[in-house]
Amino acid sequence: MAKKTVRDIEITGKRVLVRVDFNVPIENGKVTDDTRIKEALPTIRYLRENKAKIILISHLGRPKGKINEKYRLTPVAQRLQELLGVTVLKIDDCLGDKPAAAVKAMQPGEVILLENVRFYPEEEKNDPAFAQKLSLLADVYVNDAFGAVHRAHASTEGVAHFLPAVMGFLMEKEVKALTKILTVPERPFAAILGGAKVSDKIGVVKNLLGKVDVLLVGGGLANTFLKAQGYEVGKSPVEEDKIKTAGEIFALAKSRGVKIILPVDVVVVSEGEAADKIKIVKVDEIPADGQIFDLGPESIKIFKEVLQGAKTVFWNGPLGVFEQKVFAEGTLAIARAIAEDNLTSVVGGGDTLAAVSKAGVAQKITHLSTGGGASLEFLEGKVLPGLAALTDAAK
Ligand code: ADP
Ligand code: MG
């Protein structure tokens, strides 16, 4: 069901509680990566232009329901203020006299940032009384925290039951891009899945099998798939309890007419050897003491050919241990291959986004999904509680 957005609701002069995802890395009191703050700016700017009173709320890290100086949002307020070019008043609490007084004194267009909502244990418990108290601060609720939308917490879900509740622009952009590839992708539609473990990705693999034309599998994930196909993978980590599932996935793919493409050659290092003692071997010749760390050149070629024929691609999960230069070739080559003008590319996952940046192609990706867990759950076809709780758009 489509949801209302901040465009569909009267906000002028209104107190608007905006759930943002300001869960950013902080070192020595400074924000070291402000991507998530920047992603929230279009909504905040729109609310300012339309003379709303903007009350921002976010979590940061995992303080587990207790006040923790390390997780205060003060450095975030500082950075947001620089980016917006207007004063951002930081309040050291979410409830009680201080926020109430600050909100009461607000003029239209002003911005305040409440304290880390996870300082309250009621947040992650989605305590209705707590959510209701939060709602009393505002007239309207906007959820723009796509990265937290798969969580049913008080500030992401609970509060939506007490106020008119709409999507912000980041939420709208994410939902649009992911809905498009799940429902009306331009075909052929290819998905590339990698990363360390099969267990993280089974739900996504299964749901995508009903959507894609071809599935490319690499990374540590591929070890278990190779094993399920009868290959010996030496010392590479295999999830023994998932071999059967991998087998079922091949059967499911076959019944749906979806091609699953595995590596045909890989980069291995023998146990005890230095990382630069790499060998390139075919997947049926992996030595018993060898461990897989990357795609081989023939696999890269095959993956690239598939991508050249595709119109839409979704990618999650690095295809090798790309953090180390000697094992980065497969991941970087694929990042470059999807950065083509005639290809709609959607990329999700924290490490995969890092790989795309490393390859220098972030600007050329159609949609970089900011929510790691949230985008995967969306693609699994799960209901995202923070989204479900928002007000339905008129038909
Ligand atoms: P994302 O954060 O994009 O969802 P994941 O967290 O699932 O991605 O996976 C990222 C990790 O997978 C990286 O740290 C990378 O080193 C690891 N990885 C990729 N290929 C392999 C491999 N062949 N063996 C072990 N780890 C791998
Ligand atoms: Mg990761």
Side-chain angles (χ1 to χ4, degrees):
M1 181 75 201
K3 298 296 180 179
K4 281 196 177 169
T5 77
V6 67
R7 266 186 237 96
D8 303 323
I9 196 160
E10 184 55 57
I11 48 168
T12 303
K14 297 263 163 71
R15 300 168 301 162
V16 181
L17 180 68
V18 189
R19 179 53 158 99
V20 285
D21 179 5
F22 285 168
N23 183 28
V24 294
I26 293 174
E27 274 168 43
N28 303 320
K30 286 256 182 292
V31 173
T32 54
D33 180 350
D34 61 7
T35 310
R36 284 185 165 151
I37 304 177
K38 286 182 175 152
E39 293 280 359
L41 292 177
T43 298
I44 298 171
R45 289 198 173 116
Y46 176 86
L47 291 168
R48 268 179 49 70
E49 282 159 17
N50 288 279
K51 301 277 181 278
K53 300 172 183 174
I54 303 148
I55 307 154
L56 302 171
I57 189 164
S58 177
H59 75 285
L60 174 66
R62 295 176 187 273
K64 306 218 165 105
K66 287 198 198 74
I67 294 176
N68 183 330
E69 294 304 318
K70 219 174 90 189
Y71 295 118
R72 286 202 184 274
L73 281 166
T74 315
V76 173
Q78 183 63 39
R79 184 68 192 126
L80 175 62
Q81 178 162 300
E82 288 162 15
L83 290 167
L84 268 180
V86 298
T87 303
V88 173
L89 182 64
K90 161 75 193 335
I91 311 293
D92 294 334
D93 206 341
C94 294
L95 290 183
D97 296 344
K98 277 191 240 165
V103 170
K104 200 160 177 220
M106 281 180 99
Q107 296 299 314
E110 287 185 351
V111 184
I112 69 176
L113 174 62
L114 301 178
E115 188 54 275
N116 188 347
V117 66
R118 284 196 189 164
F119 285 180
Y120 284 86
E122 295 94 330
E123 162 67 358
E124 293 190 64
K125 289 189 191 129
N126 198 4
D127 180 275
F130 177 73
Q132 185 172 24
K133 281 186 206 157
L134 286 178
S135 77
L136 295 175
L137 289 170
D139 307 301
V140 172
Y141 169 71
V142 174
N143 192 344
D144 213 19
F146 181 73
V149 74
H150 58 314
R151 309 273 184 223
H153 294 169
S155 70
T156 60
E157 200 274 347
V159 66
H161 298 288
F162 297 101
L163 290 171
V166 299
M167 299 194 275
F169 294 128
L170 172 61
M171 184 74 78
E172 183 188 30
K173 183 172 86 170
E174 291 276 7
V175 168
K176 256 195 188 154
L178 297 174
T179 303
K180 180 158 187 236
I181 63 167
L182 280 186
T183 54
V184 285
E186 252 198 287
R187 296 189 180 278
F189 176 17
I192 314 164
L193 290 174
K197 293 199 300 196
V198 180
S199 41
D200 295 344
K201 309 285 162 82
I202 284 174
V204 183
V205 174
K206 285 193 171 156
N207 198 40
L208 284 179
L209 279 183
K211 318 282 177 192
V212 301
D213 301 295
V214 50
L215 178 65
L216 301 161
V217 181
L221 196 78
N223 303 346
T224 304
F225 280 86
L226 286 167
K227 188 87 189 191
Q229 293 283 69
Y231 294 105
E232 288 306 325
V233 296
K235 293 282 180 219
S236 314
V238 168
E239 288 157 86
E240 296 290 342
D241 60 332
K242 294 291 177 302
I243 295 175
K244 196 166 149 253
T245 311
E248 288 162 9
I249 287 170
F250 282 112
L252 189 65
K254 201 169 170 203
S255 73
R256 296 226 162 113
V258 175
K259 260 196 280 181
I260 295 184
I261 298 180
L262 294 179
V264 295
D265 62 346
V266 286
V267 172
V268 298
V269 175
S270 291
E271 209 175 19
E273 292 275 23
D276 60 350
K277 289 273 190 306
I278 58 167
K279 283 183 216 124
I280 291 158
V281 296
K282 301 265 177 256
V283 287
D284 55 2
E285 292 169 356
I286 296 168
D289 65 351
Q291 182 177 342
I292 303 171
F293 286 101
D294 196 7
L295 298 178
E298 188 60 27
S299 305
I300 293 175
K301 199 170 147 238
I302 293 170
F303 278 36
K304 278 167 75 172
E305 277 165 11
V306 170
L307 294 170
Q308 272 158 14
K311 283 274 195 307
T312 303
V313 59
F314 170 72
W315 180 24
N316 169 259
L319 302 167
V321 182
F322 77 104
E323 294 90 343
Q324 282 174 266
K325 203 161 176 254
V326 274
F327 308 130
E329 194 43 52
T331 302
L332 297 182
I334 296 312
R336 292 189 287 266
I338 68 165
E340 288 295 330
D341 290 338
N342 56 354
L343 190 59
T344 299
S345 48
V346 177
V347 177
D351 294 296
T352 315
L353 292 192
V356 164
S357 295
K358 208 169 194 173
V361 297
Q363 302 300 325
K364 304 204 74 182
I365 304 300
T366 314
H367 180 72
L368 297 167
S369 185
T370 55
S375 20
L376 289 186
E377 289 199 17
F378 197 102
L379 293 173
E380 281 180 44
K382 285 191 183 163
V383 171
L384 303 182
L387 192 57
L390 300 179
T391 311
D392 290 335
K395 286 228 180 78

